[in-house]
């Protein structure tokens, strides 16, 4: 599976962005998907994940209530809607495919896309 993320950019605090992740491969619709981020000088951290059918979603506490993960299996695309953005959300955002229908925090993604940079100005 190849993953291509897009939608990053520069936004003011309080603004919104929507990231997209297009998957090329037959396993997208049967794989849980996730978003991670890595801020400058920090390690990569989990942001959100969604099960294969889009029924179950999971969020890091730092983004809960502000970010929404979704997917459209007919388009092989996962999304991350980011609202009420804060300067501390500034990071490179990566989409990932778990290769497993359900998400678990004990699972590591099997496939990674390239990052898309999100910069939130104060």
């Amino acid at each position: 599976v190849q993953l291509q993320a897009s939608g990053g950019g520069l936004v003011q605090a309080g603004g919104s962005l929507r990231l997209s992740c297009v998957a090329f491969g037959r396993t997208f619709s049967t794989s849980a998907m996730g978003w991670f981020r890595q801020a400058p000088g920090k390690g990569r951290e989990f942001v959100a994940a969604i099960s294969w059918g889009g029924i179950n979603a999971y969020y890091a506490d730092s983004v809960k209530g502000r970010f929404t993960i979704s997917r459209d299996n007919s388009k092989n695309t996962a999304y991350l809607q980011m609202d009420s953005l804060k300067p501390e959300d500034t990071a490179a955002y990566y989409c990932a495919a778990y290769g497993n229908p359900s998400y678990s925090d004990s699972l590591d993604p099997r496939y990674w896309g390239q990052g898309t940079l999100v910069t939130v100005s104060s």
Side-chain angles (χ1 to χ4, degrees):
V1 176
Q2 290 185 323
L3 305 173
Q4 184 172 349
S6 63
L10 174 63
V11 63
Q12 288 188 331
S16 299
L17 280 175
R18 188 175 81 155
L19 306 183
S20 299
C21 176
V22 180
F24 300 92
R26 293 183 295 175
T27 62
F28 175 83
S29 62
T30 59
S31 175
M33 298 294 296
W35 287 94
F36 292 73
R37 67 186 181 186
Q38 185 167 17
K42 296 187 177 181
R44 189 173 297 185
E45 65 171 352
F46 170 80
V47 175
I50 189 166
S51 60
W52 71 275
I55 300 299
N56 298 307
Y58 310 84
Y59 299 94
D61 288 343
S62 58
V63 307
K64 202 171 293 182
R66 300 188 297 121
F67 291 10
T68 304
I69 189 171
S70 62
R71 65 190 297 159
D72 185 340
N73 287 347
S74 70
K75 297 181 179 179
N76 272 19
T77 303
Y79 304 96
L80 185 68
Q81 176 67 40
M82 305 185 295
D83 299 318
S84 302
L85 282 161
K86 304 175 181 180
E88 51 263 44
D89 295 318
T90 294
Y93 283 72
Y94 299 84
C95 64
Y98 284 87
N100 188 74
S102 300
Y103 165 75
S104 168
D105 59 8
S106 64
L107 279 176
D108 289 326
R110 184 174 298 181
Y111 308 100
W112 291 91
Q114 89 292 357
T116 184
L117 185 61
V118 172
T119 303
V120 184
S121 63
S122 57

